[in-house]
Structures are given as C-alpha cells and as structure tokens.
Amino acid sequence: MPELPEVEHVKRQLHQLIRTPRRVVSLEFFRKDLRFPLSPSLKKKVAGREIVGIERRAKYLLFKFSDGWLLSHLGMTGAWREIKPGETKILHDHVRLNFTDGLSLIFNDPRRFGFIDWVDEEARNSHVRLKHLGPEPLETDFQAEDLFKKLRKRTAPIKAMIMDQRIVVGVGNIYASEALFRAGIRPTRAAGKVTLSECEKLVQAIRAILTEAIESGGSTIRTYRSADGSEGSYQTRFFVYERDGEPCLKCRDSRNSRAKISSKIIGGRSTYWCPRCQA
DNA sequence: CCTTGAACCTGCGGGC
DNA sequence: TGCCCGCAGGTTCAAG
C-alpha cells in the first residue's frame, strides 16, 4: 500500500493527532507476531514515556522518544488510526498505543507485512532495517551523479533499481512507473545504459512526482487510508499506472492518434509505460 | 557482489 | 453459488 508519499502523509496526520510531546500509558499487542515476532520488551520501552516527535525515514515511521524510536513499517496494508473510547476493535487490529489523556491509536494490517520494533538512540544508523537505506529522494543528497555512478555496470532494469531502497528510498511500484514516464525512460532499460543526462531527468522526475503525490495526500487505489480515514487523490493523476491498453495522455502522432500504454512484469511487479514517450 | 524469483499473508475480483 | 487463480502502494531470502 504505502510508498513515501503515503507514509509522509500518515506521519503528518499522526503529528496532528498526537501533538507531541504526549505521554504513552501502554502498548498492547493482540497477536504475538506481525512480519516479525513482536518483542515484549517494546512495551517497557514506551510505557510511561513521552513521544517527543514523529519522523519518517524511507517508508518507515519513527515515533521519537528521548532515548530512541518506536519504528513502524506499514508493509502493504498497514494503517494507523484513532480509536475512540468505547469503540470496539475490528478484524486485523493488532497493536494499540494508549496515551495518558485517553487518546488511543490502533495499528491494523490484514496481510501483516508491516511490523513495529524499537531502535536505540545510538543505533539509528546501524539498526538492521535502517542501515542499508539509500538517500532520501527529497533531500539534497539525492544527486544525479551519484545515481549514475551507482547504476554503472548494472544490468538489472532501471525500474527495479529505483525501487531498490539501497539506491534511493521511498519509491515503490506506483511511483517507479510514474517517475520513469515523467523522465521519458523505458522501465525495461538496463540501468547501466541510462545516461547521466537521463539520470538528471530521473532525479527531477522522482522528486516532482513524490512531491505532487504528498500534496495530494498520496494515492488510494485499493485499501490505503491515512490516519484520519481519508483517501489520497493522486490516483486521479496517474499517466501510466494500471492504464495498460488505454491511450497515452501525453503523446500524439502525425495522424493525431495516441499510443497505447504497455505493461509487463519487471522485478516481479506490474510495470506500465508508453512505448512512444519512453525510450 | 549481482540478478531473479519465490516467499511471507489476507482479501478481492474474474472466469468457469 | 462456489471454487480456483491471479493479483495487490513491500521486503527478505535463497539459488544460480
């Protein structure tokens, strides 16, 4: 479900809901594992302590405490929402975070590809889930030249490369296709054949697409809901994602006809592109 | 190290 | 109606 824009939007909404600093009273688990076993010591780490901020790194949410972070990944179907007093929990509610003044948040995740964990203050850059992450696409250290160097000699398709969180974080299956369309690069191209000037276009395209998607509250195509239950709207602005067989919204040939969007599985995921606009 | 494909898990929609 | 198949905004692991 969530790529960088969705996680960023959830982060901003959680910030509105929690209004840090806010003290946690307890953390409850309604099952013993999500993607990984839920560590019982996590409860002790957060009970009675204050959340002083909420951050995002890649597709991870980080609830900041004075000596570390509660790390949350939404996987494909994970969602945080507020649960009001007296409300009963529903199917796939797995974790509940209670605050001293009655606010409660629930983590719901049907497929359980998401998880939560604790990160010690000093382990921020060495934690298993965080240490291999590449640059944040919206920060200044995401640069075309660095990207170009990382891609040299790589034979995997460029689309698989930009979804690799070691190369750049936050780009998932939707925004990979959309960004490559914006940059005019065919997703099937070997990454090592992408030129420096194309890398410049790609960096700009990734930045632009993710920024626009954040402003739209992300994309809701199946299940994604943000923390207040609302849907994103960026799905109305897709040029290629899930538009296979439909006319390209950008190109026109001399007879005024539009190319049909192609699709194919790349890196195990459905991928979409315009055969005329993308070289 | 690099690449590819399968696995994890649940739900939904389409085809028969 | 019901069953089976494929597919879904992610990540990790094993095999070649």
Side-chain angles (χ1 to χ4, degrees):
Chain A
M1 148 173 75
E3 303 182 32
L4 185 149
E6 290 75 28
V7 179
E8 177 64 25
H9 190 67
V10 169
K11 183 202 84 177
R12 293 177 187 185
Q13 291 207 320
L14 286 173
H15 199 82
Q16 293 297 309
L17 280 170
I18 296 175
R19 298 194 175 280
T20 57
R22 196 145 176 158
R23 193 169 298 278
V24 171
V25 119
S26 63
L27 182 65
E28 298 174 81
F29 298 154
F30 303 124
R31 60 148 48 230
K32 62 181 184 313
D33 55 72
L34 294 176
R35 177 142 65 93
F36 308 109
L38 284 162
S39 150
S41 65
L42 227 176
K43 296 185 180 183
K44 286 183 231 137
K45 290 284 190 186
V46 303
R49 316 263 326 290
E50 238 177 22
I51 293 181
V52 296
I54 305 176
E55 301 165 22
R56 178 193 56 74
R57 170 75 173 112
K59 299 172 192 168
Y60 294 90
L61 290 166
L62 295 127
F63 298 83
K64 184 172 175 53
F65 290 78
S66 63
D67 60 346
W69 293 266
L70 178 65
L71 183 69
S72 166
H73 196 287
L74 305 178
M76 290 279 254
T77 52
W80 284 98
R81 73 174 195 282
E82 183 181 359
I83 184 165
K84 299 270 166 77
E87 245 182 276
T88 51
K89 62 186 188 70
I90 60 174
L91 191 62
H92 305 308
D93 279 351
H94 304 310
V95 174
R96 180 169 176 150
L97 187 58
N98 303 303
F99 294 84
T100 45
D101 49 5
L103 174 70
S104 284
L105 300 177
I106 287 254
F107 181 68
N108 180 284
D109 186 5
R111 294 178 72 180
R112 302 201 306 277
F113 287 169
F115 66 92
I116 60 171
D117 197 6
W118 178 260
V119 182
D120 277 322
E121 172 92 46
E122 59 274 16
R124 173 73 189 249
N125 296 314
S126 59
H127 186 279
V128 236
R129 310 290 160 206
L130 305 177
K131 65 178 172 184
H132 298 301
L133 294 175
E136 283 289 332
L138 302 183
E139 300 294 323
T140 53
D141 63 339
F142 179 47
Q143 297 275 347
E145 280 196 26
D146 297 334
L147 178 65
F148 179 68
K149 282 181 195 157
K150 285 184 193 168
L151 298 182
R152 276 197 301 208
K153 297 185 182 161
R154 303 293 295 265
T155 60
I158 182 65
K159 191 257 189 167
M161 287 291 99
I162 60 171
M163 286 179 67
D164 185 332
Q165 304 296 295
R166 293 167 300 188
I167 304 289
V168 59
V169 303
V171 179
N173 202 41
I174 291 178
Y175 301 112
S177 282
E178 293 297 322
L180 286 163
F181 175 80
R182 182 83 60 108
I185 301 167
R186 215 173 269 227
T188 50
R189 289 258 301 280
K193 302 258 180 175
V194 175
T195 66
L196 177 57
S197 88
E198 285 175 321
C199 282
E200 280 160 9
K201 283 185 194 157
L202 184 52
V203 164
Q204 287 315 307
I206 289 172
R207 287 205 171 113
I209 297 271
L210 295 179
T211 302
E212 291 164 21
I214 290 169
E215 288 165 0
S216 306
S219 305
T220 297
I221 53 181
R222 270 169 282 275
T223 62
Y224 167 72
R225 295 290 182 286
S226 67
D228 69 355
S230 63
E231 302 186 359
S233 65
Y234 196 73
Q235 68 280 5
T236 64
R237 297 169 63 182
F238 290 166
F239 278 86
V240 291
Y241 189 76
E242 290 188 336
R243 294 197 64 250
D244 48 321
E246 295 175 43
C248 177
L249 297 170
K250 181 175 156 203
C251 68
R252 265 186 193 169
D253 65 11
S254 53
R255 292 201 306 262
N256 217 22
S257 85
R258 298 170 179 279
K260 262 190 189 169
I261 302 302
S262 302
S263 74
K264 164 185 190 188
I265 305 289
I266 300 175
R269 321 301 296 253
S270 295
T271 308
Y272 307 86
W273 74 95
C274 172
R276 191 185 293 149
C277 296
Q278 293 171 263

